[in-house]
Amino acid sequence: MSDNRGKVPPMTPVTLTIYIVTIIAIGIFFFFVRGDEAGKLCACTVCPVMILYLIYAYFKEKKADKNAKLKNKNILEGSYFAGSKWKEQYTDYLNEHPFEKPKYTNMKQDLLSRFRRREYFVGMLLMLFLIFCSSCCFMIQQPFVGVVGILLFGLFFYWELSLYIGRPVRKWLNGDIDYNELESSYLNSKILTYKKNGLALGTSHIHAYTEKKVYAIDYRLVEGISRKIVRLKKYEDNIYSSEEYQHFAIIHVRLPQSGKIHDIEIELNEFQVQMAIDHLHLYKIGERLTENMTVEQKEDNEFV
């Protein structure tokens, strides 16, 4: 599990002390230098509340860091996902959220439908409204602002439109692919969707998509699927507020030409990642059983 704090460092005792001393100095200024009723009220109420909040945020972050460290240790040792509590939650999730199936009878239509998201459509409407507002600048003799606004919001509108019409899908379909083979695999796939991502476990390929790209990976090139966990800490005004964990299914693909391993990351939730890992394991077992049955059949035929 990696820890992604962004550009904001965690609050240290020195930083906390500097914040508190600064607030006390501001409180003294309002109480003694300014001296009016509003200043004294601010010094006696706002400043203590700010100090208490800083102390609370400091210990909240320290507790979260301690819990994250323990969780990271359990994950690395394998006890976290092997624990009875997590297994029970995983079983409950499987019962409530089984694999999805394709919504349409052809792969192109189904993939395009997954990009027709409400947020893209709302974004397009917002950009059109802002373009209209920018065009109104010509009426108030502000042509430069109008031109800049139209160009800027027009660019954003094009981006939202390209996503809404499924530009990554169309670009992928125009590439060098065996559409019939991939469609046969996709239409019989088990699909996991999360946020703007999807992972479809087909009969011959792993199909996946993100907001930027579409993939179709032959099982024969897949070395395995592992998980990646990123702890994302959130700050408001450089003060710790909350955190979230992002879970990724890492598909390890052996490139056919170079033989090197290339990793493809698809963000899912933690249970969906396990579902993908388990399904690939079952597929590999089934593949080996099929090979063994074929060998045994050939051996039997030798004696016919």
Side-chain angles (χ1 to χ4, degrees):
M1 180 175 70
S2 61
D3 192 351
N4 184 5
R5 295 190 178 93
K7 297 182 179 179
V8 182
M11 186 183 296
T12 63
V14 175
T15 306
L16 177 62
T17 302
I18 292 174
Y19 280 148
I20 293 175
V21 170
T22 302
I23 293 173
I24 292 174
I26 293 173
I28 293 173
F29 171 81
F30 276 100
F31 192 90
F32 292 103
V33 178
R34 184 169 175 176
D36 57 3
E37 292 298 326
K40 291 181 179 180
L41 181 63
C42 177
C44 295
T45 57
V46 177
C47 292
V49 169
M50 291 178 65
I51 291 174
L52 290 175
Y53 175 73
L54 284 171
I55 295 173
Y56 164 76
Y58 172 78
F59 284 103
K60 180 181 178 182
E61 183 175 11
K62 290 301 177 185
K63 183 179 179 180
D65 288 342
K66 183 179 179 181
N67 292 336
K69 186 176 180 180
L70 178 61
K71 183 176 181 179
N72 187 43
K73 179 182 177 182
N74 292 335
I75 289 173
L76 293 176
E77 292 177 350
S79 59
Y80 178 79
F81 296 105
S84 58
K85 181 179 179 181
W86 191 88
K87 285 185 176 180
E88 182 180 351
Q89 293 175 339
Y90 178 51
T91 302
D92 292 340
Y93 183 88
L94 283 174
N95 294 330
E96 296 176 7
H97 304 88
F99 284 100
E100 300 176 24
K101 289 292 184 180
K103 302 175 183 178
Y104 297 91
T105 56
N106 70 77
M107 180 175 66
K108 178 180 178 180
Q109 188 177 4
D110 190 83
L111 284 174
L112 289 175
S113 71
R114 297 178 184 277
F115 278 77
R116 289 195 290 270
R117 304 178 63 87
R118 181 180 300 175
E119 55 263 43
Y120 297 152
F121 184 73
V122 173
M124 289 163 54
L125 294 179
L126 177 60
M127 291 305 112
L128 286 175
F129 173 74
L130 293 175
I131 290 172
F132 172 76
C133 293
S134 299
S135 64
C136 293
C137 291
F138 291 98
M139 301 179 185
I140 58 174
Q141 306 301 318
Q142 294 290 336
F144 178 76
V145 176
V147 170
V148 172
I150 290 174
L151 291 176
L152 180 62
F153 299 128
L155 182 63
F156 288 137
F157 172 80
Y158 172 75
W159 170 252
E160 296 287 347
L161 176 63
S162 67
L163 290 173
Y164 187 76
I165 65 174
R167 183 174 180 273
V169 176
R170 299 177 188 277
K171 182 179 179 181
W172 176 72
L173 290 173
N174 290 330
D176 184 17
I177 63 172
D178 186 338
Y179 182 85
N180 292 331
E181 179 185 1
L182 295 179
E183 183 177 57
S184 176
S185 174
Y186 181 84
L187 294 180
N188 293 283
S189 66
K190 299 178 178 180
I191 303 176
L192 301 168
T193 57
Y194 182 72
K195 294 182 179 179
K196 299 176 181 179
N197 312 308
L199 185 68
L201 300 154
T203 54
S204 61
H205 289 71
I206 294 179
H207 309 264
Y209 65 86
T210 64
E211 193 177 39
K212 298 180 179 179
K213 200 166 183 179
V214 178
Y215 303 91
I217 310 159
D218 195 315
Y219 278 118
R220 292 172 294 184
L221 301 176
V222 178
E223 295 293 318
I225 297 179
S226 63
R227 71 173 74 248
K228 173 183 174 182
I229 306 174
V230 176
R231 180 188 177 215
L232 185 62
K233 299 175 70 173
K234 299 180 181 180
Y235 292 84
E236 294 180 4
D237 298 326
N238 292 339
I239 299 173
Y240 174 82
S241 60
S242 62
E243 66 183 24
E244 68 171 306
Y245 286 89
Q246 296 176 332
H247 299 263
F248 297 85
I250 311 298
I251 308 171
H252 307 288
V253 183
R254 185 171 296 280
L255 300 177
Q257 296 180 347
S258 64
K260 296 181 179 179
I261 299 296
H262 175 68
D263 292 339
I264 297 174
E265 298 185 3
I266 307 295
E267 184 181 1
L268 302 170
N269 66 40
E270 61 177 312
F271 302 117
Q272 290 175 330
V273 173
Q274 188 64 46
M275 290 168 72
I277 293 173
D278 291 344
H279 183 276
L280 179 65
H281 179 66
L282 292 174
Y283 177 86
K284 292 294 185 181
I285 291 177
E287 189 180 49
R288 288 195 294 269
L289 288 175
T290 302
E291 291 176 353
N292 291 336
M293 290 175 62
T294 303
V295 172
E296 291 175 1
Q297 183 66 38
K298 288 181 178 179
E299 291 177 347
D300 292 340
N301 290 338
E302 292 176 359
F303 295 95
V304 175

